[in-house]
Amino acid sequence: MALGAQLQGGRMQSDEVLILGSSSPAGSHLAAALNRRSIRHRAVLQSSKNRDKSFVVAADEPSEVTLTDVDALTFALRGYRIVYDCLTAASEDPLQYRAGARNLAIAIAKTSVKVIHVTNYWSYFPLAYLPLDEEHPREGGEDWARYRREAEDVLLAAGSAIVHLPDLYGPFVRGGLIQRAIEDAYTTRQIRWIGATNVDREYAFAPDAMEAVVRLSYCSEAMGQRWMVGGNGSFSAERLAEIASKKLDAKVSLSTVGPFALKLRSFFDEKARAWRQMPDPSQPIGFNCDKIKGMIGLVPTTGVEQGIARTLEWMDRRRSVK
């Protein structure tokens, strides 16, 4: 049974579930997906400074844990059936990502908890072919790709399911090239883009992606494997500008930053330095999701125009509340 009886009718039995990194975009939308099924879950933050930022639907009062304290991490995991790890991959320092994964693997061994590690697709770079699938080679490349690879391999060896997501956009998403572009369209009516503006790339509307992750987590066969979660459609920066112009009823323009200019900016611009620690956005990207579809079936997704519209509407509501 692909999804299990618990998923029928859109509800599951009540379970104790923990979300590590619950203030992240993935974590907040996981909380919403769990609440739709009346699944009790606990939220864990890395720092109290994130306490007021995030929840789509609040869980219990969030507690804090750090990946550097193995004993505290082990204590936090005890008593839960399922743990969604959205915290380890969120580290901006790839070395911290690797160290955090090792500590989490120790905690898994001490608790025997089932962990779903939610991450992106960057460990597969440099790309050899598209669409990207779980069997794609994972070798070579920049340090940021190699360190992610090592961290994921540690967690995979510990029995975790490794779930690779496209770049996310949507309500409550913070950061990332595509979300920043939508934010630019909303705030300034000008999208700042890196590289070619006519290259189609596959992105995921965050609520759709997290729905797939929750369904996968209730399949015992998913553990100890890699899983590619696809997006809700491909589009270019030019197409984004067209959609945003239509939804905002105002012309949204495009400006581009080339690789050389980005390198110069990185010496004094923190955001530019961060952009250099990610895959080249001028490359196309697409995902082969046959494996996960064979496990959980088709998950309904939001159309690209509707997803972008809902993101812009959320930005508008957020501004009106401030």
Side-chain angles (χ1 to χ4, degrees):
M1 182 165 47
L3 288 179
Q6 305 168 93
L7 280 171
Q8 301 306 311
R11 294 176 63 84
M12 295 184 195
Q13 64 188 29
S14 180
D15 291 287
E16 289 291 345
V17 176
L18 183 70
I19 304 175
L20 293 176
S22 51
S23 65
S24 67
S28 59
H29 285 286
L30 278 170
L34 293 169
N35 263 350
R36 287 194 294 270
R37 294 177 170 84
S38 300
I39 297 176
R40 290 177 295 139
H41 54 282
R42 183 78 179 175
V44 174
L45 308 174
Q46 187 169 23
S47 170
S48 59
K49 69 182 180 180
N50 295 325
R51 188 178 296 262
D52 62 347
K53 285 184 178 180
S54 58
F55 303 110
V56 174
V57 181
D60 295 337
E61 177 66 14
S63 54
E64 296 176 32
V65 70
T66 173
L67 292 171
T68 60
D69 188 334
V70 176
D71 291 337
L73 187 59
T74 302
F75 181 80
L77 266 58
R78 290 195 187 281
Y80 292 96
R81 285 188 56 201
I82 296 175
V83 174
Y84 298 101
D85 172 32
C86 306
L87 183 60
T88 312
S91 173
E92 295 181 0
D93 184 342
L95 288 173
Q96 289 181 1
Y97 183 8
R98 185 172 61 177
R102 289 172 177 167
N103 289 340
L104 180 56
I106 294 171
I108 293 171
K110 291 181 176 181
T111 59
S112 300
V113 71
K114 186 166 125 178
V115 170
I116 292 83
H117 176 61
V118 182
T119 184
N120 54 34
Y121 57 93
W122 297 2
S123 64
Y124 285 93
F125 276 77
L127 297 181
Y129 62 79
L130 289 175
L132 184 60
D133 60 24
E134 294 84 356
E135 302 305 315
H136 187 285
R138 298 168 66 253
E139 56 191 19
E142 303 290 337
D143 286 347
W144 50 261
R146 292 190 291 105
Y147 292 146
R148 282 184 171 274
R149 202 173 296 148
E150 292 172 16
E152 292 166 9
D153 288 347
V154 166
L155 292 172
L156 188 70
S160 302
I162 312 298
V163 180
H164 298 279
L165 302 177
D167 296 327
L168 297 178
Y169 68 97
F172 296 92
V173 175
R174 300 184 304 277
L177 181 66
I178 191 62
Q179 184 75 3
R180 288 193 183 106
I182 299 173
E183 184 89 41
D184 283 346
Y186 177 76
T187 56
T188 68
R189 304 299 193 262
Q190 182 182 54
I191 296 172
R192 295 167 293 175
W193 194 254
I194 302 172
T197 59
N198 61 348
V199 175
D200 283 339
R201 294 172 59 84
E202 187 172 345
Y203 303 101
F205 187 57
D208 298 343
M210 294 308 107
E211 174 66 23
V213 173
V214 168
R215 294 191 187 197
L216 182 69
S217 68
Y218 279 79
C219 300
S220 58
E221 304 96 324
M223 303 309 297
Q225 297 189 55
R226 297 182 179 281
W227 301 91
M228 202 69 65
V229 173
N232 67 319
S234 300
F235 55 93
S236 65
E238 292 176 359
R239 178 63 178 143
L240 171 60
E242 291 176 5
I243 295 171
S245 295
K246 178 180 176 182
K247 301 302 178 183
L248 295 169
D249 196 24
K251 176 65 175 178
V252 175
S253 61
L254 274 168
S255 64
T256 59
V257 179
F260 181 72
L262 180 64
K263 185 175 181 178
L264 289 178
R265 285 178 58 180
S266 69
F267 290 108
F268 56 87
D269 186 329
E270 186 176 347
K271 285 186 177 180
R273 284 195 294 273
W275 287 336
R276 291 185 64 194
Q277 297 295 315
M278 64 176 63
D280 181 358
S282 66
Q283 292 187 34
I285 188 71
F287 303 89
N288 180 339
C289 302
D290 289 346
K291 181 179 177 181
I292 194 170
K293 288 178 183 176
M295 180 64 68
I296 67 174
L298 288 172
V299 177
T301 57
T302 306
V304 168
E305 289 200 24
Q306 185 182 0
I308 293 171
R310 286 174 58 181
T311 306
L312 291 167
E313 290 164 3
W314 168 74
M315 291 174 180
D316 200 47
R317 290 195 302 272
R318 182 184 59 176
R319 185 179 67 173
S320 66
V321 170
K322 288 183 178 180

